[in-house]
Amino acid sequence: MRLLVPVCAVLLVSGASLAGTAAAEPDAVARGKYVLRAAGCVACHTDEKGGGTVLAGGRALETPFGTFYTPNITPDPGAGLGGWTEADFLQALSQGRDPQGRPYYPAFPYTSYRGMTEQDMRDLWAYLQSVPPADRANKPHELGFPYGLRFLATVWQWLYFEPAPFRPNPDRSDVWNRGAYLVRHLGHCAECHSPRGRLGALDGGRELAGNPEGPDGKKVPNITPHAKDGIGGWSKTDIAFFLKTGFLPDGDVAGGAMEDVIRESTSRLSDEDRAAIAAYVQSLSPVPGP
Amino acid sequence: MRRVLCALSAGLALGLAGQALAADSPENLVKYRQSVMKAIGGHTGAIAAVVKGEVSYGAHVANHARGIRDMSLIVPDIFPANSGPMDYADTGALPKIWEEPAKFKLAVSAFQSAAAKFADIAEGGDSQAIADGLGALGKTCGGCHKPFRQKKE
């Protein structure tokens, strides 16, 4: 009888939490799918060239430090995130650490995702748990010496990283704040559009001012409103239209990695979110370069 | 039927292009190709200005769309073997075009079908359908420009 009490309690608690999960799930999954799009997870976590399953990882990211292979984030118990808890997932996004507490290399843009709201992280987790598991095993990164020494990622975090949630600016409009959240955190635009220092940390003073040595060795344009070097000549409508269709104001079309971003992410956002991104980007100080 | 004929003649032209153009200089071939691409971009930019509501030339969209469709028919001709980056450096065309011709052909024909479809949509004059159609057309532009072009500064 004495045993029965804790057992009942456990049953009650797990029953309650199950009921809670079941009730919240459909909405959370639907919201999480949108977060997935806005956060651009698909383009990196899918080996499109190799015909890989969506979100099963394996895409090569060539950087000056070596080649990173993105991991499988489907809920496969062995190859993916099947063994993870929601808390593990939140820790990965906001602190850049794996479930064992080891730091990730900043090729994974937790430096931007750290600002994600808890709600968005939980919804994203709900969505990722809902996709079909794929058993593609993760491929180890191929990094040049000394970058393959993982403790260096710890040093890197000491030097350049601290968790920092997004704080809306009360002096700005809701639209501006939404845009800032989308650009700086979910959309992690700065990860490609800003120059990096020798150890791969983003140059905060030149945020979004372009990167002469972007992913796959390609030049990434300046998207601050600088008249000559940036997109100062673009209207808000031009920016939103580009993010929706891929067409630049001169009728040319986005190629390179931005084609992926438009197809998998920005073309699938709401008109309101694209307008918010445009409003935020236009409000930045023009920076020359790169 | 007309579309089938167009596609057939485009195919024939592609076969003949190699011989006829070997005599033209790589520089001139690249510049010609860039002019054709700018023509397509010019029409697209004009349609985009209408779709964005910047100008009220809604009636022109069909003309521009016909222009894009016509240009799409000559796109297969303008990548002869002697017009790649090995022949003339100032081109954004990547060697992959000539290394993987089957893939390239597939991407070009996707653009051609989308351009033909968009011309029909534009003829209809429905502004929502035009806006959506332009997005679909843009995807096929990206279908070539992403894998086969490295934009020059």
Side-chain angles (χ1 to χ4, degrees), chain A:
Chain A
M1 188 61 204
R2 219 179 277 164
L3 254 179
L4 253 178
V5 176
V7 168
C8 284
V10 167
L11 279 177
L12 273 172
V13 168
S14 60
S17 70
L18 272 178
T21 319
E25 204 134 282
D27 278 357
V29 169
R31 286 194 309 264
K33 188 172 184 182
Y34 190 84
V35 174
L36 174 99
R37 294 303 184 189
C41 310
V42 176
C44 278
H45 283 282
T46 306
D47 178 19
E48 199 198 352
K49 270 189 193 156
T53 311
V54 173
L55 298 174
R59 175 178 169 173
L61 296 174
E62 282 160 32
T63 74
F65 309 99
T67 303
F68 291 94
Y69 293 96
T70 58
N72 183 338
I73 55 169
T74 70
D76 188 83
L81 307 186
W84 285 36
T85 64
E86 186 189 68
D88 289 338
F89 184 67
L90 266 60
Q91 172 173 285
L93 293 173
S94 57
Q95 297 175 38
R97 288 174 183 275
D98 72 12
Q100 286 75 45
R102 294 172 303 189
Y104 286 115
Y105 287 104
F108 170 45
Y110 58 87
T111 40
S112 295
Y113 291 158
R114 64 179 164 186
M116 279 174 76
T117 63
E118 192 173 324
Q119 176 82 60
D120 278 353
M121 290 192 282
R122 286 180 191 277
D123 290 343
L124 181 55
W125 175 248
Y127 177 74
L128 287 176
Q129 290 292 293
S130 78
V131 306
D135 61 3
R136 196 203 66 83
N138 287 333
K139 191 172 174 183
H141 305 315
E142 291 162 8
L143 305 179
F145 182 80
Y147 307 111
L149 303 171
R150 185 141 178 190
F151 77 89
L152 287 178
T154 308
V155 177
W156 191 91
Q157 286 202 351
W158 284 340
L159 289 171
Y160 298 114
F161 179 75
E162 57 184 272
F166 174 67
R167 302 244 180 270
N169 181 340
D171 299 333
R172 298 283 197 162
S173 68
D174 289 350
V175 170
W176 185 92
N177 277 303
R178 176 69 182 163
Y181 178 66
L182 288 166
V183 169
R184 304 199 69 211
H185 301 294
L186 275 191
H188 60 283
C189 308
E191 302 281 345
C192 285
H193 282 281
S194 312
R196 288 175 186 267
R198 270 186 54 216
L199 290 175
L202 293 171
D203 181 346
R206 305 186 49 78
E207 192 167 318
L208 302 179
N211 185 354
E213 212 181 354
D216 301 332
K218 288 176 186 163
K219 189 176 167 178
V220 185
N222 182 332
I223 55 168
T224 71
H226 191 273
K228 190 169 74 59
D229 298 343
I231 54 171
W234 293 34
S235 69
K236 279 193 185 71
T237 321
D238 287 339
I239 298 171
F241 186 78
F242 172 71
L243 295 173
K244 184 176 182 179
T245 63
F247 286 119
L248 289 88
D250 67 359
D252 199 350
V253 73
M258 196 62 197
E259 195 274 341
D260 280 329
V261 173
I262 290 165
R263 178 164 37 83
E264 293 297 343
S265 176
T266 59
S267 70
R268 298 169 191 251
L269 300 182
S270 66
D271 286 336
E272 290 75 20
D273 274 353
R274 279 188 291 264
I277 292 171
Y280 173 74
V281 169
Q282 276 216 328
S283 78
L284 299 169
S285 310
V287 182

Side-chain angles (χ1 to χ4, degrees), chain B residues 96-117:
Chain B
K96 216 178 141 190
I97 293 172
W98 295 275
E99 289 161 10
E100 296 177 33
K103 264 192 192 160
F104 181 65
K105 217 169 162 179
L106 208 67
V108 170
S109 63
F111 166 57
Q112 291 178 316
S113 342
K117 199 171 160 194

Side-chain angles (χ1 to χ4, degrees), chain B residues 2 7-8 10 18 36 42 45 63 73-74 94 99 106 127 142 146:
Chain B
R2 204 179 60 179
L8 275 178
V36 172
N63 299 64
L73 300 178
I74 65 173
L94 292 174
E99 289 161 10
L106 208 67
S127 55
K146 186 192 155 203

